[in-house]
Amino acid sequence: MATATAIDDVRVFTGDGLTQSRRVYVEGEKIVADGTPDVVVDGAGKVLLPGLIDSHIHTLGRDDLANLAQSGVTTGLDMAAWPLPFVTEMRGQAGVAAILSATTPAVGPGGNHAKMPGFPADGIVTTPREAHAFVERRIADGADYIKIVTEAAPPEGMDRTTVKAIVEAAHEHNLLVVAHSITTGAFRVAVEAGVDISTHAPLDAVLDDETVARMRDAGMVSSPTLTMMRGIAGVRAGAGLKYEYARDTVTKFHEAGIRLLVGTDANSAPGVPFAPRHGTSFHDELELLVEAGLTPVEALRGATTLTARTFALDDRGVIEPGRRADLVLVDGDPTTGITATRDIAGVWIAGERVR
């Protein structure tokens, strides 16, 4: 049962900076304008952030969602999960991070994803006709957005006509399309197809100016998952993959004005090349984004308001009356030193204090 709570004398992150010290009320699952609290929390010297949103996770169970919550990540956007009964079960978990999900992603027949043990056959897409059927299945699953894996060319990945068909079918149903792309060639396929969000950043070279400009002009959003890119580059350096390419691409995105979201690709799956830890890796990602050129305020915005706005999560991402009471209380000022997000003094999810 959520408790009526007041957080006293706390500075609040607005998306642009901090307010003066004030009181924030929580009643039930919502932030309210005023009230009579059962509990008063001393927020002096602290900063209250909207619940952090990880724009790229994978979950294998409740423990993953609990780990997110303990690090202040109150919402996770799952980018591939199956079977559907499992996804439904994870969506219904209380007291841990809430999730949205793409359910099954679309992949080409020859890529690594298609070879994963247990990967659903209906996620392998080879023609535009299959692309439309794939989107219809995801709609039936209640997918919150569509996830595709782009590769530079068949047979590893889908051909460009098929990728474009998925995007067009998804857009007909007002669904966003998120594209996994970790090479420059895969990025170009995603851009040409008109995807809405790219996830990851290229490890084979810095993305060229023309492709960056096309992304900017199309309004594409990036969730670069630098934590994952650094991890993959570390284990596959022999293949010529370099983290610096991903980092420098993010710097170019920032300079071009492309919207950058905070995502980690946190996962606990066996056999993956790298597995960022749920929750703690989010703070790594914030720091890597700042190293790539974002200000702490910009990184925090990408962790809260911008992700909520991009995915139409209208009930969260901002601390104001009527919004869902997903809150993170931290010691220090993360708008001037991003590492302060690690100093967590309290976490609330839908008004329930979970840390």
Side-chain angles (χ1 to χ4, degrees):
M1 178 69 69
T3 302
T5 300
I7 304 171
D8 251 354
D9 197 24
V10 70
R11 292 178 294 168
V12 174
F13 181 67
T14 64
D16 297 313
L18 300 180
T19 67
Q20 296 296 315
S21 295
R22 65 183 182 90
R23 172 176 269 199
V24 174
Y25 291 95
V26 172
E27 188 171 300
E29 297 183 357
K30 303 289 186 181
I31 300 163
V32 296
D34 203 349
T36 303
D38 303 311
V39 174
V40 177
V41 176
D42 183 7
K46 298 179 175 63
V47 166
L48 192 64
L49 303 170
L52 305 173
I53 305 171
D54 193 327
S55 61
H56 189 143
I57 69 158
H58 299 276
T59 179
L60 288 182
R62 181 181 170 89
D63 286 350
D64 292 338
L65 305 183
N67 289 335
L68 289 172
Q70 290 304 302
S71 289
V73 179
T74 58
T75 301
L77 305 185
D78 188 279
M79 288 298 160
W82 62 83
L84 183 58
F86 168 76
V87 177
T88 301
E89 180 185 359
M90 290 302 100
R91 281 174 166 157
Q93 299 293 308
V96 294
I99 69 161
L100 283 73
S101 183
T103 68
T104 301
V107 308
N112 290 330
H113 292 78
K115 300 171 185 174
M116 293 173 61
F119 186 82
D122 72 355
I124 299 173
V125 181
T126 59
T127 67
R129 183 173 181 176
E130 289 179 3
H132 284 268
F134 168 83
V135 172
E136 293 297 332
R137 287 194 295 271
R138 299 294 75 79
I139 291 168
D141 286 348
D144 297 292
Y145 34 81
I146 299 298
K147 169 76 179 298
I148 60 177
V149 175
T150 60
E151 307 280 1
E156 288 80 9
M158 297 169 280
D159 63 42
R160 298 181 184 211
T161 303
T162 300
V163 175
K164 189 172 181 62
I166 293 175
V167 174
E168 290 174 347
H171 287 174
E172 287 172 4
H173 294 279
N174 297 315
L175 286 174
L176 293 172
V177 180
V178 183
H180 160 112
S181 308
I182 64 168
T183 65
T184 51
F187 259 87
R188 294 183 191 109
V189 170
V191 172
E192 289 171 8
V195 306
D196 303 292
I197 301 160
S198 68
T199 188
H200 309 310
L203 291 170
D204 61 328
V206 178
L207 197 60
D208 61 278
D209 293 346
E210 179 184 354
T211 304
V212 172
R214 291 183 66 181
M215 291 176 64
R216 176 199 63 214
D217 294 346
M220 277 182 64
V221 175
S222 170
S223 173
T225 68
L226 288 177
T227 301
M228 185 58 148
M229 298 300 94
R230 184 177 62 177
I232 292 175
V235 298
R236 294 188 174 170
L241 304 182
K242 293 184 179 180
Y243 169 70
E244 290 77 13
Y245 294 147
R247 181 200 62 202
D248 294 349
T249 295
V250 170
T251 301
K252 291 180 72 169
F253 287 168
H254 179 245
E255 292 172 348
I258 291 170
R259 180 181 292 185
L260 289 160
L261 309 182
V262 182
T264 62
D265 204 1
N267 68 86
S268 55
V272 295
F274 187 71
R277 289 180 58 82
H278 289 83
T280 55
S281 63
F282 194 87
H283 304 281
D284 298 333
E285 188 72 19
L286 287 168
E287 291 162 21
L288 292 176
L289 287 169
V290 170
E291 289 176 10
L294 279 69
T295 67
V297 168
E298 288 171 333
L300 290 170
R301 192 181 299 141
T304 55
T305 57
L306 291 184
T307 304
R309 193 177 305 159
T310 299
F311 285 89
L313 302 176
D314 298 331
D315 62 341
R316 66 199 77 184
V318 179
I319 298 174
E320 60 184 27
R323 305 287 184 131
R324 178 178 158 109
D326 289 351
L327 303 166
V328 183
L329 186 65
V330 300
D331 284 310
D333 181 358
T335 68
T336 58
I338 196 64
T339 58
T341 62
R342 296 181 183 273
D343 296 326
I344 296 174
V347 178
W348 291 260
I349 296 178
E352 178 186 354
R353 188 163 190 172
V354 299
R355 171 170 171 175

